[in-house]
Amino acid sequence: MKALIVNDDGIDSPGLALLARLAVEAGFDVQVAAPHVERSGASASLTALQDEGKLLLSRRPLDDLPEVESYAVEASPALITFLASYGAFGTAPDIVLSGINLGPNTGHAILHSGTVGAALTAATHGARAVALSLNGTAPSQWETAELVARRALEWAVEHSRPGAVLNVNIPDIPVHELRGLRSAPLAEFGAVQAEIGEVEDDGDISRALPVTFRAVELDESHDSDAVLVCRGWATATVLTMPFQVAEADLGTLEFAHSGSSRK
């Protein structure tokens, strides 16, 4: 299987290098293409820096994997997987491995994650996908991340299906403190929540808005992914594309325009 390794922390991230090494050890035909700088929070945006309509990229070999084809791309992670799906980097990948992200991607806030956005974009184009994240603002327990990521890759090969994403979150704790890996539903919120400060009502909207971010107080009555990670569990959640048609009565919305000749 051809595996594309991507992330939103950038080509120099230690999580990217670890994930690429694990993919090589697992026997994948590995190719790396990651943003040239950090693109966290990019979601599934298709943005890039262009030079006269051309996407900018350069070869950037990984220190420990000089034999692996690796590119620094001046684009969002989702655009990288989008282009890879159409053969921009050779044969389209069978599986996209996104991460290992520096910080959690839990709860409904995965909507904003560049890590998950890249994986969902790959799934949209029929590939298998895994998104992996290590909890903490400055994570350090890479041995734990390696243990869980290796198991996640094995599961993805044996059980995942094209069009779905396995979203994995790993606590930043030593291996001997890890309680295990278990499935979990998404929390209502992510790790942080935005707050808008008080704005004087003087009619002037041209000034800066006071916006801060704070850690979310978790509802521990539910075993959500965010709660379980804080309790020392690694979590796994299968995501399917959010664009499924829901049943609804649209009769009051529909109308026929008498001036149109279309049928």
Side-chain angles (χ1 to χ4, degrees), residues 225-236:
D225 57 352
V227 168
L228 290 173
V229 167
C230 290
R231 291 178 181 169
W233 289 93
T235 64

Side-chain angles (χ1 to χ4, degrees), residues 78-79 132 225:
L79 181 58
L132 301 111
D225 57 352

Side-chain angles (χ1 to χ4, degrees), residues 164-250:
V165 174
L166 180 67
N167 186 47
V168 178
N169 280 278
I170 307 163
D172 189 36
I173 56 178
V175 169
H176 69 271
E177 295 181 10
L178 180 68
R179 299 180 67 180
L181 171 63
R182 59 183 288 187
S183 61
L186 296 177
E188 184 176 357
F189 298 102
V192 297
Q193 188 171 6
E195 290 185 341
I196 300 176
E198 185 175 351
V199 180
E200 295 181 7
D201 187 14
D202 59 4
D204 181 13
I205 61 173
S206 62
R207 63 190 182 283
L209 286 173
V211 180
T212 59
F213 293 89
R214 64 172 178 83
V216 172
E217 185 175 343
L218 299 174
D219 179 3
E220 298 204 20
S221 63
H222 300 286
D223 286 343
S224 67
D225 57 352
V227 168
L228 290 173
V229 167
C230 290
R231 291 178 181 169
W233 289 93
T235 64
T237 308
V238 175
L239 310 173
T240 55
M241 293 311 300
F243 307 115
Q244 299 177 1
V245 177
E247 293 186 8
D249 182 7
L250 299 180

Side-chain angles (χ1 to χ4, degrees), residues 32-256:
V32 176
H36 73 300
V37 294
E38 182 181 353
R39 298 296 294 268
S40 297
S43 187
S45 64
L46 302 180
T47 56
L49 300 177
Q50 295 184 357
D51 181 14
E52 297 181 351
K54 297 179 181 180
L55 185 70
L56 302 176
L57 72 160
S58 59
R59 289 189 177 273
R60 186 78 68 82
L62 302 181
D63 290 339
D64 296 331
L65 298 169
E67 73 283 0
V68 172
E69 188 177 10
S70 180
Y71 296 97
V73 188
E74 299 190 24
S76 63
L79 181 58
I80 292 172
T81 58
F82 178 89
L83 295 173
S85 299
Y86 286 96
F89 309 112
T91 306
D94 302 295
I95 187 169
V96 170
L97 308 177
S98 186
I100 298 172
N101 190 64
L102 306 181
N105 278 305
T106 56
H108 292 172
I110 60 171
L111 171 69
H112 310 295
S113 166
T115 302
V116 178
L120 286 171
T121 301
T124 301
H125 291 83
R128 306 181 189 189
V130 182
L132 301 111
S133 304
L134 182 57
N135 195 22
T137 55
S140 61
Q141 300 299 323
W142 294 106
E143 184 180 359
T144 305
E146 179 174 346
L147 173 68
V148 176
R150 194 184 301 277
R151 179 70 188 109
L153 297 192
E154 292 172 353
W155 187 92
V157 171
E158 297 173 4
H159 302 288
S160 69
R161 57 182 176 80
V165 174
L166 180 67
N167 186 47
V168 178
N169 280 278
I170 307 163
D172 189 36
I173 56 178
V175 169
H176 69 271
E177 295 181 10
L178 180 68
R179 299 180 67 180
L181 171 63
R182 59 183 288 187
S183 61
L186 296 177
E188 184 176 357
F189 298 102
V192 297
Q193 188 171 6
E195 290 185 341
I196 300 176
E198 185 175 351
V199 180
E200 295 181 7
D201 187 14
D202 59 4
D204 181 13
I205 61 173
S206 62
R207 63 190 182 283
L209 286 173
V211 180
T212 59
F213 293 89
R214 64 172 178 83
V216 172
E217 185 175 343
L218 299 174
D219 179 3
E220 298 204 20
S221 63
H222 300 286
D223 286 343
S224 67
D225 57 352
V227 168
L228 290 173
V229 167
C230 290
R231 291 178 181 169
W233 289 93
T235 64
T237 308
V238 175
L239 310 173
T240 55
M241 293 311 300
F243 307 115
Q244 299 177 1
V245 177
E247 293 186 8
D249 182 7
L250 299 180
T252 57
L253 172 67
E254 299 172 354
F255 68 94

